[in-house]
C-alpha cells in the first residue's frame, strides 16, 4: 500500500484523536480492502437502521468518484478503446461521464429478496442468505453494528468465515459478539449509539479515501 494511502488513516486520527486506539485495526482494514480490490474482489456491506444507511453510503463513495477524478479514459484505456470502436457516436458521452469504480455491494437494499426470505424462511438470516449467494473467497464483508450483537449481522459474519470472505466489524467500545468473531474489529471508544455512529462515518470515509487514493491518485 502506498505511503500516501496509509496517511489517510493518520489524517483521520489527527482529526479524531479518540480513534488512536483503533489505529492498528484501521490500517490493517485499509490494507485488506486494497488487497481485495487489487485481486479483483469486492467489498460487501451490511447493517441495520442508521448502520444500513452507512452501508449504502459506503457503496456510493466507492462505485463512483469520491474525491479524486476517475475518468475511464485515464484508468481503463482498453475499455475506452473498445467503446470508440463499437459505439463511436456515444463514446465521447461515456468518456465524459463514466467513472471507474471500486466494486462494492450493500446487502440492505434488496427489498424484494429480503422480504421474501424473511416471510418464507428466517428474517435474521437475510444477510447471510445474500452473502452465501454472492460472497467469494477473497471478498471483504464490512459488517456494521453499534452493539456488535445484531443477529443478522453476526450470522452474515459466520457465513463469511465459512466462505473465506474476510470480515471487518465496525462497532462500539464493547464490540459485542463481533469483536471476537470478525477477522478485524474496529471498536470505537464510546458506548452511546449515536456517538458510535458519529465516529463510524469519518472512519468509513477514511477507508474509502484510502482505497481511492491507492488506485486513482
Amino acid at each position: 500500500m502506498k505511503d500516501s494511502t496509509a496517511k489517510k488513516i493518520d489524517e483521520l486520527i489527527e482529526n479524531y484523536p479518540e480513534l488512536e486506539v483503533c489505529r492498528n485495526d484501521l490500517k490493517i482494514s485499509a490494507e485488506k480492502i486494497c488487497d481485495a480490490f487489487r485481486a479483483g474482489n469486492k467489498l460487501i456491506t451490511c447493517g441495520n437502521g442508521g448502520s444500513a444507511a452507512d452501508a449504502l453510503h459506503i457503496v456510493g463513495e466507492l462505485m463512483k468518484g469520491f474525491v479524486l477524478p476517475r475518468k475511464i479514459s485515464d484508468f481503463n484505456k482498453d475499455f475506452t478503446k473498445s467503446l470508440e470502436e463499437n459505439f463511436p457516436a456515444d463514446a465521447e458521452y461515456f468518456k465524459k461521464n463514466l467513472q471507474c469504480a471500486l466494486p462494492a455491494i450493500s446487502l440492505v437494499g434488496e427489498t424484494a429478496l429480503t422480504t421474501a426470505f424473511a416471510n418464507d424462511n428466517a428474517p435474521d438470516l437475510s444477510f447471510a442468505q445474500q452473502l452465501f449467494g454472492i460472497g467469494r473467497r477473497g471478498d471483504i464483508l464490512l459488517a456494521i453494528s453499534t452493539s456488535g450483537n445484531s443477529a443478522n449481522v453476526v450470522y452474515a459474519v459466520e457465513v463469511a468465515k465459512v466462505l473465506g470472505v474476510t470480515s471487518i466489524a465496525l462497532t462500539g467500545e464493547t464490540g459485542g459478539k463481533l469483536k471476537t468473531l470478525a477477522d478485524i474489529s474496529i471498536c470505537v471508544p464510546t458506548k452511546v449509539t449515536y456517538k458510535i455512529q458519529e465516529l463510524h462515518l469519518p472512519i468509513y470515509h477514511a477507508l474509502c479515501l484510502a482505497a481511492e487514493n491507492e488506485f486513482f491518485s
Side-chain angles (χ1 to χ4, degrees), residues 38-50:
R38 192 175 294 109
N41 293 106
K42 61 187 176 290
L43 179 75
I44 303 167
T45 65
C46 67
N48 298 296

Side-chain angles (χ1 to χ4, degrees), residues 11-178:
E11 291 172 356
L12 167 70
I13 294 168
E14 286 175 14
N15 293 325
Y16 297 88
E18 62 269 44
L19 294 177
E20 176 63 42
V21 296
C22 303
R23 182 188 293 271
N24 188 55
D25 292 320
L26 288 165
K27 287 195 170 184
I28 294 172
S29 296
E31 290 172 358
K32 293 290 187 183
I33 291 170
C34 288
D35 287 345
F37 287 142
R38 192 175 294 109
N41 293 106
K42 61 187 176 290
L43 179 75
I44 303 167
T45 65
C46 67
N48 298 296
S51 298
D54 289 334
L56 289 166
H57 189 165
I58 291 164
V59 173
E61 308 297 25
L62 293 173
M63 287 288 288
K64 62 171 185 57
F66 181 17
V67 172
L68 299 176
R70 304 188 196 174
K71 291 185 177 181
I72 60 170
S73 55
D74 292 334
F75 295 100
N76 198 327
K77 296 188 184 301
D78 288 342
F79 181 77
T80 303
K81 182 180 178 181
S82 185
L83 271 176
E84 292 168 341
E85 292 171 349
N86 288 280
F87 304 102
D90 296 325
E92 287 303 316
Y93 184 67
F94 280 119
K95 287 161 65 177
K96 181 180 178 181
N97 293 288
L98 272 188
Q99 299 174 322
C100 291
L102 294 168
I105 300 172
S106 171
L107 302 181
V108 307
E110 292 292 339
T111 305
L113 170 59
T114 56
T115 54
F117 190 80
N119 185 63
D120 297 340
N121 299 91
D124 55 5
L125 290 179
S126 61
F127 291 157
Q129 174 64 32
Q130 291 183 75
L131 189 69
F132 178 69
I134 67 172
R136 298 293 180 266
R137 182 172 297 275
D139 288 345
I140 302 285
L141 173 67
L142 183 55
I144 311 170
S145 170
T146 57
S147 68
N149 291 317
S150 302
N152 55 352
V153 177
V154 169
Y155 288 143
V157 172
E158 290 181 355
V159 170
K161 295 186 82 69
V162 175
L163 292 177
V165 172
T166 298
S167 56
I168 300 172
L170 187 54
T171 184
E173 186 171 31
T174 62
K177 294 179 181 178
L178 292 179

